[in-house]
Amino acid sequence: MKDLGPFGRGFVCQETKSNDMLYERSNLRNVAIIAHVDHGKTTLVDGMLKQAKVFRENQQVAERVLDSNDLERERGITILAKNAAITIWDPETSQQVKINIVDTPGHADFGGEVERVLNMVDGVLLLVDAAEGPMPQTRFVLKKALAMNHVVIVVINKVDRKGANSNDTLNRIFDLFLELGATDDQAEFRVVYTNAVTGQAGLTADLSPNLQPLFDAILRYVPAPKVDPDAPLQMLVTTLDYDEHRGCTAIGRVTSGRLLVGQNLMRITREGDLIPDKAQYLQVHEALQRVDVDCVEAGEIAVVAGLGDVAISETLADPEHPMALPKIHVEEPTVRMTFGVNVSPLSGTEGRWGTSRRLRARLFDELRHDMALRVNETDSPDTFEVSGRGELHLAILIETMRREGYEFQVSRPTVLMHRDENGQLLEPFEEVHIDTTPEAVGVVVEMLGSRRGQMLNMLDKGDSSVHITYLVPTRGLLGLRYQFLTTSHGMGVMNSVFHGYLPMTGKIPSRASGSLIASEAGQTTSFGLKSAGERGTLFVTPGVTVYEGMVVGENQRPEDIAVNVSKRKHLTNMRQSTRDIEVRLAAAREMSLDEAIEYLGDDELLEVTPLHFRIRKAILDTHERGKQLKRAKVEME
């Protein structure tokens, strides 16, 4: 083969002809790191990058270097899958081996990212916390990896953590493999123990000073790509990016053939249409950077820039032999929200983009990057139905758009129902795993029982915590998280993963509290808030602009109450303003975006702007809202 340099620019690829007429890229490995949220994936990648000498000596490096997105750093989770590459010396073959590493999200709501990137790799590192053991997302990502027949190396992390039990965790992982139908070969997985924070690994819980045992396991057990470099070009677009100077960028693994700069391509869309295109720029990953190359051989992960309106799951193929690769399939959404143009009295005062045309273009543009998302137009040109994998999935989209300068309004999340072949109505269920204190168990059980939850297991972990497993309708989880944290006094942890569609259960009680609603427009005053605060918890402070129909607090009782929070104390010549009675207010509840979405009632909307979140009634006029309520009561009777 032609000499093309190190990792695309001049390397000599050692090849071995195999029985199935494919070449083995012995100096290349493609591996993804998969795990449950907060089990240490990104921290482990940090250690691997440092020990592979990616950074200069004494260079200051931020923790979780791959979590480059602002939202990822703020929330402490990985949202988007990212690529990096390291170079390791393999003494067995006496050559440098490039390892392409893909860091994946750990939260179940971003499972679509995991499902996509698994198409680019030949093996996975399944990271599991030694204290927590396999968690809901562990099951999900392992199931996907086994279905794609990937080699799995189990990495038991945080072996130094208090309460860590490596042997028990290993047994539970083995049971999970069998439960998911792993073959005999898959069940014979290799195990590496690590402490990602200190950058140590070992074949037992007695760790070596560095991560070399982990590197050795990747080199020995993750198979090298087997490819046909002389076959017609095929590359499946797995991830999209955007470059300000080069335009739309497609990322994926070259399955066969080779890709050259300036090469004419044929884009095969998901619908099967053939669109001529050209690879104007070509890059590969080296460390944390993308470097320009002239050619990318089969087996390598390529970055192709300057393409037209490319989309995920499209195939880049040889124009003379256009053959499509199997399309990427991700699980269907389970939760839906309505996105609409902001029509509140304060619309247009804080956002940069607020028209239906801009909102529509932004939502449909998101579909090109996120295959787990669905956007449908409605009868109203100003309203769109957006469906995702969960509340967090949609909340991240809302927060991203808000930071880009959009203002809009969203409805309360609802679940997507299905019907089986017999016409029976089915609803999504989720497997919920809860860790809480023994004192809170009774209240948690009562809370989930009222939401049609079915307890599957309860285990006293012996460290002043109890682990409970439930099967709960997704409807029952909407708005539950904040209530759960309040009940457990912030000491509980709740994780869930999609279980499947089951026959619909009975009615689930909605929010037990009502809302305090502003009856007049104006600026809030301490005097007006004092009176309203006696009815419940306030969401606003003095000096805030409100409008009629805006929710300014939570009522202690189930019904809504209209309050005048802009009311001022009338002054007379007997009481001067400088001698007014001091008003003491309870601290207002500051709500995050997630909490605001959870709080929403069926007749409420969330106004989202770059500066504020405002909860409001769908019908702002107090008298009209009262008429609608009376009409609804009459119809029910």
Side-chain angles (χ1 to χ4, degrees):
M1 284 182 58
K2 186 179 179 181
D3 184 4
L4 295 171
F7 311 127
R9 288 180 295 180
F11 82 96
V12 178
C13 175
Q14 287 194 353
E15 304 166 340
T16 318
K17 198 77 169 181
S18 63
N19 293 332
D20 54 0
M21 303 302 292
L22 296 179
Y23 288 96
E24 184 178 272
R25 293 282 303 272
S26 61
N27 62 346
L28 180 65
R29 302 290 188 276
N30 298 316
V31 63
I33 302 183
I34 58 177
H36 185 78
V37 64
D38 202 31
H39 277 200
K41 298 184 309 302
T42 309
T43 304
L44 182 62
V45 174
D46 284 354
M48 295 173 72
L49 292 171
K50 292 174 183 176
Q51 294 191 24
K53 302 189 185 308
V54 165
F55 308 109
R56 297 188 306 272
E57 192 172 348
N58 300 324
Q59 180 181 353
Q60 294 294 324
V61 181
E63 293 184 358
R64 306 195 319 273
V65 65
L66 285 189
D67 282 349
S68 53
N69 186 299
D70 289 341
L71 278 175
E72 292 177 323
R73 291 199 169 276
E74 291 173 16
R75 292 175 177 258
I77 60 174
T78 301
I79 297 172
L80 301 173
K82 300 176 188 67
N83 294 71
I86 60 177
T87 307
I88 298 298
W89 175 257
D90 185 0
E92 188 170 299
T93 59
S94 300
Q95 65 175 339
Q96 294 281 359
V97 178
K98 178 182 180 181
I99 302 176
N100 282 313
I101 303 172
V102 185
D103 184 24
T104 64
H107 198 284
D109 282 16
F110 307 108
E113 287 281 311
V114 180
E115 292 173 86
R116 287 195 289 108
V117 301
L118 287 181
N119 287 274
M120 291 195 292
V121 300
D122 303 293
V124 298
L125 303 182
L126 179 68
L127 205 67
V128 183
D129 189 306
E132 295 183 359
M135 296 294 282
Q137 184 69 356
T138 311
R139 169 186 293 271
F140 174 81
V141 295
L142 177 58
K143 180 180 178 181
K144 295 299 178 184
L146 294 177
M148 299 182 74
N149 204 30
H150 285 326
V151 171
V152 180
I153 297 176
V154 173
V155 180
I156 299 179
N157 191 31
K158 303 184 182 182
V159 294
D160 63 327
R161 181 179 172 182
K162 181 181 178 181
N165 190 334
S166 300
N167 291 331
D168 179 65
T169 298
L170 181 58
N171 291 333
R172 291 167 61 188
I173 294 172
F174 181 74
D175 292 341
L176 181 59
F177 268 77
L178 297 183
E179 188 179 336
L180 294 177
T183 64
D184 292 342
D185 289 340
Q186 290 173 331
E188 292 290 334
F189 53 83
R190 304 293 172 173
V191 184
V192 179
Y193 300 85
T194 62
N195 182 342
V197 174
T198 59
Q200 295 176 271
L203 299 181
T204 66
D206 185 15
L207 306 181
S208 68
N210 51 42
L211 292 174
Q212 191 59 45
L214 177 61
F215 293 142
D216 291 340
I218 295 174
L219 295 175
R220 297 288 80 78
Y221 304 115
V222 174
K226 292 183 178 181
V227 296
D228 185 353
D230 299 321
L233 170 68
Q234 283 184 305
M235 170 182 155
L236 185 66
V237 178
T238 308
T239 306
L240 290 182
D241 202 350
Y242 186 81
D243 187 285
E244 292 182 359
H245 305 289
R246 296 181 172 182
C248 191
T249 301
I251 304 172
R253 183 165 71 164
V254 179
T255 305
S256 61
R258 54 176 59 88
L259 190 55
L260 304 172
V261 170
Q263 179 178 346
N264 291 322
L265 305 171
M266 187 66 73
R267 278 200 296 115
I268 307 176
T269 67
R270 285 177 282 194
E271 293 74 28
D273 298 330
L274 302 180
I275 303 175
D277 215 322
K278 186 175 183 179
Q280 299 185 33
Y281 306 96
L282 195 56
Q283 297 176 313
V284 294
H285 293 93
E286 285 190 14
L288 298 173
Q289 308 298 323
R290 295 174 183 171
V291 296
D292 291 327
V293 294
D294 297 325
C295 175
V296 177
E297 295 285 337
E300 176 66 277
I301 295 175
V303 182
V304 187
L307 298 172
D309 193 22
V310 66
I312 289 174
S313 195
E314 291 187 352
T315 300
L316 304 183
D318 188 316
E320 298 180 2
H321 304 88
M323 295 180 291
L325 290 167
K327 292 186 292 186
I328 300 173
H329 294 282
V330 299
E331 293 188 4
E332 293 295 315
T334 57
V335 176
R336 175 177 57 204
M337 295 177 72
T338 298
F339 284 51
V341 174
N342 183 20
V343 294
S344 83
L346 298 180
S347 64
T349 60
E350 298 174 355
R352 183 181 180 188
W353 316 113
T355 64
S356 59
R357 180 176 63 86
R358 288 282 187 178
L359 182 61
R360 182 185 186 281
R362 178 62 181 83
L363 290 174
F364 278 93
D365 183 63
E366 188 69 20
L367 293 178
R368 299 171 57 243
H369 302 265
D370 191 345
M371 289 194 63
L373 198 71
R374 301 287 185 274
V375 178
N376 296 314
E377 299 189 68
T378 64
D379 295 335
S380 170
D382 297 337
T383 305
F384 307 89
E385 288 185 348
V386 182
S387 306
R389 296 283 281 265
E391 283 182 284
L392 182 60
H393 185 193
L394 297 178
I396 292 296
L397 173 60
I398 293 170
E399 179 65 26
T400 301
M401 292 175 60
R402 182 182 79 88
R403 297 188 182 198
E404 292 172 357
Y406 288 85
E407 77 168 55
F408 50 97
Q409 61 188 29
V410 298
S411 68
R412 182 177 187 267
T414 57
V415 299
L416 294 166
M417 304 292 187
H418 285 181
R419 289 191 181 274
D420 61 14
E421 60 275 6
N422 299 320
Q424 185 179 18
L425 193 61
L426 306 178
E427 67 173 323
F429 274 70
E430 299 191 36
E431 187 176 305
V432 182
H433 293 253
I434 293 175
D435 288 288
T436 187
T437 59
E439 295 77 17
V441 168
V443 182
V444 170
V445 169
E446 182 181 355
M447 182 190 310
L448 290 173
S450 67
R451 292 172 176 260
R452 304 288 178 175
Q454 307 167 31
M455 184 186 293
L456 303 179
N457 188 28
M458 180 185 291
L459 175 66
D460 187 346
K461 300 177 69 174
D463 56 351
S464 300
S465 68
V466 178
H467 183 83
I468 314 174
T469 306
Y470 264 89
L471 193 62
V472 187
T474 303
R475 282 186 302 142
L477 295 180
L478 299 179
L480 176 67
R481 200 168 299 274
Y482 179 79
Q483 184 181 350
F484 167 75
L485 291 175
T486 303
T487 300
S488 62
H489 304 290
M491 299 297 291
V493 177
M494 181 170 68
N495 293 290
S496 63
V497 67
F498 178 67
H499 175 77
Y501 278 86
L502 299 174
M504 185 174 178
T505 59
K507 185 178 179 181
I508 294 177
S510 57
R511 194 179 71 203
S513 58
S515 295
L516 302 177
I517 309 163
S519 60
E520 294 184 13
Q523 276 200 334
T524 56
T525 65
S526 297
F527 181 71
L529 291 174
K530 176 66 176 177
S531 176
E534 295 173 355
R535 305 291 189 95
T537 304
L538 295 173
F539 297 159
V540 294
T541 56
V544 174
T545 302
V546 298
Y547 51 82
E548 182 182 3
M550 178 175 162
V551 175
V552 296
E554 181 179 14
N555 186 20
Q556 297 171 344
R557 300 178 181 275
E559 65 272 4
D560 295 335
I561 299 178
V563 293
N564 185 3
V565 291
S566 303
K567 182 168 58 177
R568 297 180 179 276
K569 180 185 288 292
H570 293 291
L571 302 180
T572 67
N573 57 356
M574 299 296 294
R575 175 176 293 158
Q576 299 177 11
S577 60
T578 55
R579 299 176 58 191
D580 196 6
I581 300 175
E582 183 181 3
V583 175
R584 294 183 179 274
L585 298 174
R589 175 182 165 189
E590 295 185 9
M591 302 180 74
S592 65
L593 173 61
D594 301 54
E595 291 172 352
I597 291 174
E598 288 190 356
Y599 178 84
L600 289 176
D602 293 332
D603 62 340
E604 293 172 345
L605 300 171
L606 179 64
E607 177 187 357
V608 181
T609 77
L611 301 180
H612 297 100
F613 307 121
R614 300 186 185 95
I615 301 173
R616 47 156 289 187
K617 289 294 180 179
I619 301 175
L620 296 179
D621 185 84
T622 304
H623 297 294
E624 180 61 28
R625 199 167 56 250
K627 292 178 183 178
Q628 294 283 359
L629 183 61
K630 290 180 181 178
R631 192 177 296 120
K633 288 183 178 179
V634 171
E635 291 176 355
M636 289 180 62
E637 294 175 356

